[in-house]
Amino acid sequence: MSNKNVLVINSGSSSLKFAVIDSESGEALVSGLGECFGLPEATIEWKFNGEKSKEAITAPDNHHQEAINRIVKLMDELSLKETIVAVGHRIVHGGEKFTSTVRIDDAVLTEIENLSDLAPLHNPAGAKGIRAAMTAYPSLPQFAVFDTAFHQTMPQKAFTGAISHELYKEYGIRRYGFHGTSHYYVSREAAKMLDKPIEESNFITVHLGNGASVCAISNGESVDTSMGFTPLAGLMMGTRSGDLDPGIIEFLMKKGWTPEQVFETLNKKSGFLGVSGVTSDARGILEAMDDGHEGAKLAFEVFTYRVAKYIGSYMIPLSSLDAIIFTGGIGENALDIRSEILTNLGLLGFVEDRAGNEAARFGAAGQIAESKLLGAKVLVVPTNEEFVIAKQSVELL
């Protein structure tokens, strides 16, 4: 067993994902999830050697700390403790301060908490996870890997909003982008598949899951991305609206809606769920379509159309295109959604390889289409954000 294992922690406001990752192979030796934090039904479950286990979390006050205490105990039980060399934390927002993975000290932790205005649901939870892990593993080095870091190479024309520049200077309002770890990982894997140096590779990466974003990558660097100041911008998602006329917010507030109602709707009641009226899950949308549900069919059409529009527009910042890359839960598995997006890209010469598209699912990478017109391929590359966190943590050691 490798002695370069990293405990990877992704701490949310009411949940905590964890895994022990071999930083050389990317293999997850154990993975798990604590959820329903703050509620009586809080639990933690994990998978090891194909077997699943689940326990209640009963600590009344601090479920994050209790979950991490249980993880520490679990590492002992599974004889993994001595193999762990670092703890890597996924942090959603690094603002303009963090452009790469950093070793966590008191100053870094304070800065992560100071950035909570930009990610009020995520950064305080990430800081909680860090504090709990530092208490549990005081002698292990801890690292923060930021969702926003990969996009810090965007040029000013791409990240600047067309609003008063004072709002940027005073509040940091600009495009930050998210899913950076995923876009980074799949672009590197695609370059290997094409046997091309990443520094000479141009891609459009398409991360489609409950959250979704597109990224234009020029010579290995992010030059534009669809999520913005928050993860609400860009593509239509499971429950998020994506791009929206901001005048709608004023309109609804004049109708008596509170700001809380507006943003609850835009974040949690829109997207697949809002348009279909059925579900936020892409699998449920496809099943309802098969049953003739008109709302599900419309949600499918709006989603695939918007993804294709973004892909088309993201050719603008690139000098050439080597490949479009699909990843994320939907991007890796939803055959019909990928197929419809490719149909919408027909003007650009993309022709689907149906057999290739059917084969590249459920963890399998592969080529699913090609455009002779552009000399570009369409690839499916399963993402592995935990591997990036583990690898970058060990590299900094």
Side-chain angles (χ1 to χ4, degrees):
M1 186 182 293
S2 170
N3 277 323
K4 287 193 173 179
N5 295 333
V6 176
L7 173 60
V8 174
I9 292 174
N10 181 354
S11 183
S13 55
S14 61
S15 65
L16 186 147
K17 291 182 188 173
F18 70 95
V20 175
I21 303 292
D22 183 325
S23 65
E24 293 178 336
S25 70
E27 178 190 0
L29 305 175
V30 60
S31 60
L33 172 68
E35 56 186 343
C36 299
F37 290 1
L39 299 173
E41 58 267 32
T43 59
I44 185 167
E45 59 182 270
W46 62 90
K47 184 178 177 183
F48 179 69
N49 282 345
E51 290 187 17
K52 291 184 179 177
S53 305
K54 188 172 184 175
E55 291 179 6
I57 297 178
T58 55
D61 300 322
N62 191 342
H63 284 164
H64 285 82
Q65 186 67 60
E66 178 70 10
I68 287 184
N69 290 345
R70 184 63 188 96
I71 293 165
V72 171
K73 191 177 171 190
L74 182 65
M75 296 304 104
D76 272 334
E77 293 167 1
L78 302 179
S79 301
L80 290 171
K81 182 180 177 182
E82 300 306 318
T83 73
I84 296 171
V85 296
V87 183
H89 298 266
R90 177 199 175 219
I91 302 298
V92 165
H93 219 304
E96 292 182 316
K97 176 84 176 177
F98 298 108
T99 60
S100 61
T101 297
V102 295
R103 186 164 179 165
I104 299 168
D105 56 21
D106 288 341
V108 168
L109 182 52
T110 299
E111 193 63 39
I112 288 169
E113 290 177 321
N114 289 343
L115 288 165
S116 291
D117 271 359
L118 299 180
L121 293 178
H122 297 95
N123 273 36
K128 256 188 202 176
I130 290 170
R131 289 191 186 281
M134 288 172 90
T135 301
Y137 281 119
S139 61
L140 279 182
Q142 315 240 351
F143 298 91
V145 180
F146 299 90
D147 264 15
T148 50
F150 180 55
H151 302 303
Q152 284 296 303
T153 52
M154 282 191 290
Q156 195 168 16
K157 66 182 179 183
F159 72 68
T160 301
I163 54 175
S164 166
H165 200 59
E166 294 303 313
L167 295 175
Y168 168 58
K169 289 196 288 188
E170 189 167 349
Y171 301 116
I173 297 176
R174 50 156 285 180
R175 181 179 303 279
Y176 288 102
F178 302 90
H179 292 144
T181 312
S182 178
H183 292 297
Y184 169 89
Y185 176 78
V186 299
S187 61
R188 270 70 191 156
E189 291 300 298
K192 290 178 198 170
M193 289 168 70
L194 299 178
D195 195 23
K196 190 168 184 180
I198 186 62
E199 298 81 8
E200 298 171 16
S201 300
N202 298 303
F203 298 123
I204 296 172
T205 49
V206 187
H207 180 108
L208 304 179
N210 192 49
S213 64
V214 182
C215 180
I217 296 175
S218 175
N219 299 323
E221 293 188 337
S222 171
V223 291
D224 208 346
T225 191
S226 59
M227 282 181 167
F229 180 64
T230 74
L232 186 57
L235 300 177
M236 168 180 161
M237 305 176 218
T239 61
R240 296 180 206 147
S241 65
D243 289 342
L244 184 81
D245 177 353
I248 293 169
I249 297 170
E250 180 192 27
F251 176 85
L252 290 174
M253 289 174 71
K254 283 182 174 176
K255 293 292 182 185
W257 285 47
T258 65
E260 291 75 21
Q261 283 177 307
V262 172
F263 287 98
E264 171 86 4
T265 296
L266 297 183
N267 276 294
K268 297 182 180 178
K269 298 177 181 177
S270 299
F272 274 138
L273 178 62
V275 177
S276 72
V278 180
T279 179
S280 63
D281 187 84
R283 290 164 296 191
I285 293 291
L286 294 171
E287 287 166 10
M289 271 179 66
D290 288 342
D291 293 337
H293 192 284
E294 287 300 315
K297 182 172 182 285
L298 180 59
F300 170 84
E301 289 175 344
V302 173
F303 180 77
T304 51
Y305 173 65
R306 286 188 170 204
V307 173
K309 270 209 307 183
Y310 254 103
I311 291 171
S313 69
Y314 274 24
M315 292 184 185
I316 301 299
L318 303 180
S319 57
S320 62
L321 180 66
D322 294 303
I324 295 166
I325 306 162
F326 285 105
T327 195
I330 296 171
E332 293 170 28
N333 301 306
L335 175 72
D336 292 338
I337 287 176
R338 293 193 310 229
S339 186
E340 183 68 14
I341 292 168
L342 291 170
T343 298
N344 286 331
L345 293 171
L347 181 63
L348 299 172
F350 287 101
V351 178
E352 179 186 1
D353 172 357
R354 188 67 184 181
N357 202 5
E358 288 175 353
R361 289 188 289 171
F362 314 125
Q367 182 175 325
I368 65 170
E370 189 169 4
S371 168
K372 303 291 187 189
L373 181 66
L374 298 173
K377 304 179 189 306
V378 181
L379 307 174
V380 173
V381 180
T383 193
N384 192 341
E385 294 166 275
E386 290 82 7
F387 185 24
V388 174
I389 293 169
K391 200 171 179 182
Q392 293 187 351
S393 296
V394 166
E395 282 170 1
L396 276 186
L397 279 173

